[in-house]
mmCIF file of all heavy atoms in Angstrom:
data_model
loop_
_atom_site.group_PDB
_atom_site.id
_atom_site.type_symbol
_atom_site.label_atom_id
_atom_site.label_comp_id
_atom_site.label_asym_id
_atom_site.label_seq_id
_atom_site.Cartn_x
_atom_site.Cartn_y
_atom_site.Cartn_z
ATOM 1 N N GLY A 14 -105.656 46.871 137.482
ATOM 2 C CA GLY A 14 -106.427 46.265 136.395
ATOM 3 C C GLY A 14 -107.839 46.804 136.337
ATOM 4 O O GLY A 14 -108.373 47.067 135.257
ATOM 5 N N PHE A 15 -108.455 46.981 137.499
ATOM 6 C CA PHE A 15 -109.791 47.567 137.538
ATOM 7 C C PHE A 15 -109.769 48.988 137.005
ATOM 8 O O PHE A 15 -110.665 49.404 136.277
ATOM 9 C CB PHE A 15 -110.324 47.536 138.971
ATOM 10 C CG PHE A 15 -111.674 48.172 139.114
ATOM 11 C CD1 PHE A 15 -112.802 47.527 138.656
ATOM 12 C CD2 PHE A 15 -111.805 49.420 139.683
ATOM 13 C CE1 PHE A 15 -114.049 48.111 138.775
ATOM 14 C CE2 PHE A 15 -113.042 50.016 139.802
ATOM 15 C CZ PHE A 15 -114.168 49.358 139.344
ATOM 16 N N ALA A 16 -108.734 49.735 137.338
ATOM 17 C CA ALA A 16 -108.626 51.112 136.857
ATOM 18 C C ALA A 16 -108.440 51.167 135.343
ATOM 19 O O ALA A 16 -108.942 52.076 134.681
ATOM 20 C CB ALA A 16 -107.466 51.826 137.551
ATOM 21 N N GLU A 17 -107.723 50.199 134.777
ATOM 22 C CA GLU A 17 -107.526 50.153 133.323
ATOM 23 C C GLU A 17 -108.834 49.867 132.595
ATOM 24 O O GLU A 17 -109.082 50.405 131.519
ATOM 25 C CB GLU A 17 -106.498 49.088 132.950
ATOM 26 C CG GLU A 17 -105.080 49.454 133.259
ATOM 27 C CD GLU A 17 -104.541 50.520 132.329
ATOM 28 O OE1 GLU A 17 -104.895 50.519 131.144
ATOM 29 O OE2 GLU A 17 -103.773 51.355 132.821
ATOM 30 N N VAL A 18 -109.662 49.012 133.153
ATOM 31 C CA VAL A 18 -110.916 48.625 132.498
ATOM 32 C C VAL A 18 -111.997 49.673 132.734
ATOM 33 O O VAL A 18 -112.931 49.794 131.953
ATOM 34 C CB VAL A 18 -111.367 47.234 133.008
ATOM 35 C CG1 VAL A 18 -112.722 46.859 132.470
ATOM 36 C CG2 VAL A 18 -110.343 46.182 132.630
ATOM 37 N N ASN A 19 -111.874 50.459 133.767
ATOM 38 C CA ASN A 19 -112.916 51.385 134.181
ATOM 39 C C ASN A 19 -112.901 52.688 133.373
ATOM 40 O O ASN A 19 -112.970 53.772 133.926
ATOM 41 C CB ASN A 19 -112.779 51.687 135.674
ATOM 42 C CG ASN A 19 -114.029 52.265 136.253
ATOM 43 O OD1 ASN A 19 -115.087 52.173 135.655
ATOM 44 N ND2 ASN A 19 -113.915 52.872 137.413
ATOM 45 N N HIS A 20 -112.826 52.566 132.067
ATOM 46 C CA HIS A 20 -112.978 53.681 131.138
ATOM 47 C C HIS A 20 -114.084 53.295 130.170
ATOM 48 O O HIS A 20 -114.517 52.143 130.130
ATOM 49 C CB HIS A 20 -111.675 53.950 130.383
ATOM 50 C CG HIS A 20 -110.549 54.374 131.272
ATOM 51 N ND1 HIS A 20 -110.490 55.598 131.866
ATOM 52 C CD2 HIS A 20 -109.442 53.715 131.670
ATOM 53 C CE1 HIS A 20 -109.398 55.690 132.592
ATOM 54 N NE2 HIS A 20 -108.740 54.545 132.499
ATOM 55 N N LEU A 21 -114.556 54.242 129.386
ATOM 56 C CA LEU A 21 -115.700 53.977 128.517
ATOM 57 C C LEU A 21 -115.449 52.797 127.581
ATOM 58 O O LEU A 21 -116.287 51.910 127.456
ATOM 59 C CB LEU A 21 -116.058 55.229 127.707
ATOM 60 C CG LEU A 21 -117.266 55.085 126.805
ATOM 61 C CD1 LEU A 21 -118.501 54.768 127.627
ATOM 62 C CD2 LEU A 21 -117.472 56.329 125.990
ATOM 63 N N ARG A 22 -114.284 52.759 126.961
ATOM 64 C CA ARG A 22 -113.950 51.669 126.033
ATOM 65 C C ARG A 22 -113.986 50.326 126.761
ATOM 66 O O ARG A 22 -114.582 49.362 126.296
ATOM 67 C CB ARG A 22 -112.585 51.929 125.427
ATOM 68 C CG ARG A 22 -112.034 50.808 124.617
ATOM 69 C CD ARG A 22 -110.631 51.106 124.089
ATOM 70 N NE ARG A 22 -109.746 51.519 125.162
ATOM 71 C CZ ARG A 22 -109.095 52.691 125.203
ATOM 72 N NH1 ARG A 22 -109.234 53.560 124.248
ATOM 73 N NH2 ARG A 22 -108.316 52.992 126.221
ATOM 74 N N GLY A 23 -113.377 50.269 127.926
ATOM 75 C CA GLY A 23 -113.342 49.029 128.698
ATOM 76 C C GLY A 23 -114.709 48.616 129.193
ATOM 77 O O GLY A 23 -115.037 47.429 129.220
ATOM 78 N N LEU A 24 -115.517 49.584 129.579
ATOM 79 C CA LEU A 24 -116.847 49.256 130.069
ATOM 80 C C LEU A 24 -117.754 48.735 128.966
ATOM 81 O O LEU A 24 -118.576 47.847 129.198
ATOM 82 C CB LEU A 24 -117.465 50.487 130.743
ATOM 83 C CG LEU A 24 -116.769 50.923 132.038
ATOM 84 C CD1 LEU A 24 -117.394 52.213 132.547
ATOM 85 C CD2 LEU A 24 -116.817 49.840 133.088
ATOM 86 N N ILE A 25 -117.608 49.265 127.760
ATOM 87 C CA ILE A 25 -118.398 48.759 126.634
ATOM 88 C C ILE A 25 -117.986 47.325 126.301
ATOM 89 O O ILE A 25 -118.837 46.459 126.088
ATOM 90 C CB ILE A 25 -118.252 49.686 125.413
ATOM 91 C CG1 ILE A 25 -118.953 51.017 125.690
ATOM 92 C CG2 ILE A 25 -118.832 49.037 124.155
ATOM 93 C CD1 ILE A 25 -118.689 52.079 124.655
ATOM 94 N N ILE A 26 -116.689 47.074 126.273
ATOM 95 C CA ILE A 26 -116.201 45.708 126.025
ATOM 96 C C ILE A 26 -116.681 44.773 127.128
ATOM 97 O O ILE A 26 -117.122 43.648 126.868
ATOM 98 C CB ILE A 26 -114.668 45.694 125.908
ATOM 99 C CG1 ILE A 26 -114.214 46.483 124.689
ATOM 100 C CG2 ILE A 26 -114.133 44.271 125.850
ATOM 101 C CD1 ILE A 26 -112.728 46.730 124.635
ATOM 102 N N LEU A 27 -116.617 45.236 128.365
ATOM 103 C CA LEU A 27 -117.050 44.434 129.516
ATOM 104 C C LEU A 27 -118.529 44.108 129.436
ATOM 105 O O LEU A 27 -118.934 42.961 129.655
ATOM 106 C CB LEU A 27 -116.737 45.192 130.805
ATOM 107 C CG LEU A 27 -117.192 44.552 132.100
ATOM 108 C CD1 LEU A 27 -116.402 43.282 132.358
ATOM 109 C CD2 LEU A 27 -117.027 45.518 133.248
ATOM 110 N N LEU A 28 -119.347 45.085 129.115
ATOM 111 C CA LEU A 28 -120.787 44.863 129.005
ATOM 112 C C LEU A 28 -121.098 43.833 127.930
ATOM 113 O O LEU A 28 -121.895 42.919 128.146
ATOM 114 C CB LEU A 28 -121.495 46.184 128.703
ATOM 115 C CG LEU A 28 -122.999 46.112 128.526
ATOM 116 C CD1 LEU A 28 -123.666 45.718 129.833
ATOM 117 C CD2 LEU A 28 -123.538 47.425 128.023
ATOM 118 N N PHE A 29 -120.458 43.964 126.782
ATOM 119 C CA PHE A 29 -120.690 43.004 125.704
ATOM 120 C C PHE A 29 -120.240 41.599 126.123
ATOM 121 O O PHE A 29 -120.931 40.616 125.856
ATOM 122 C CB PHE A 29 -119.944 43.456 124.444
ATOM 123 C CG PHE A 29 -120.225 42.602 123.253
ATOM 124 C CD1 PHE A 29 -121.445 42.663 122.608
ATOM 125 C CD2 PHE A 29 -119.267 41.730 122.781
ATOM 126 C CE1 PHE A 29 -121.713 41.870 121.506
ATOM 127 C CE2 PHE A 29 -119.518 40.927 121.682
ATOM 128 C CZ PHE A 29 -120.748 40.994 121.041
ATOM 129 N N ALA A 30 -119.087 41.499 126.801
ATOM 130 C CA ALA A 30 -118.583 40.193 127.229
ATOM 131 C C ALA A 30 -119.512 39.544 128.237
ATOM 132 O O ALA A 30 -119.784 38.340 128.158
ATOM 133 C CB ALA A 30 -117.178 40.339 127.811
ATOM 134 N N VAL A 31 -120.024 40.326 129.174
ATOM 135 C CA VAL A 31 -120.915 39.765 130.192
ATOM 136 C C VAL A 31 -122.241 39.336 129.565
ATOM 137 O O VAL A 31 -122.794 38.293 129.933
ATOM 138 C CB VAL A 31 -121.134 40.772 131.335
ATOM 139 C CG1 VAL A 31 -122.238 40.321 132.267
ATOM 140 C CG2 VAL A 31 -119.845 40.960 132.116
ATOM 141 N N LEU A 32 -122.749 40.115 128.632
ATOM 142 C CA LEU A 32 -124.007 39.734 127.990
ATOM 143 C C LEU A 32 -123.868 38.459 127.167
ATOM 144 O O LEU A 32 -124.811 37.683 127.066
ATOM 145 C CB LEU A 32 -124.514 40.879 127.113
ATOM 146 C CG LEU A 32 -125.044 42.097 127.856
ATOM 147 C CD1 LEU A 32 -125.414 43.192 126.875
ATOM 148 C CD2 LEU A 32 -126.230 41.728 128.731
ATOM 149 N N MET A 33 -122.693 38.231 126.592
ATOM 150 C CA MET A 33 -122.471 37.040 125.774
ATOM 151 C C MET A 33 -122.028 35.825 126.601
ATOM 152 O O MET A 33 -122.004 34.712 126.090
ATOM 153 C CB MET A 33 -121.420 37.329 124.706
ATOM 154 C CG MET A 33 -121.813 38.428 123.737
ATOM 155 S SD MET A 33 -123.326 38.075 122.829
ATOM 156 C CE MET A 33 -122.795 36.691 121.861
ATOM 157 N N LEU A 34 -121.677 36.016 127.860
ATOM 158 C CA LEU A 34 -121.138 34.956 128.712
ATOM 159 C C LEU A 34 -122.188 33.873 128.948
ATOM 160 O O LEU A 34 -123.229 34.132 129.546
ATOM 161 C CB LEU A 34 -120.704 35.559 130.057
ATOM 162 C CG LEU A 34 -119.991 34.640 131.025
ATOM 163 C CD1 LEU A 34 -118.608 34.285 130.475
ATOM 164 C CD2 LEU A 34 -119.848 35.314 132.371
#
Side-chain angles (χ1 to χ4, degrees):
F15 178 74
E17 286 288 324
V18 174
N19 198 17
H20 297 288
L21 182 61
R22 172 183 52 239
L24 293 175
I25 291 171
I26 295 170
L27 176 68
L28 179 66
F29 185 72
V31 170
L32 289 176
M33 299 300 294
L34 186 69

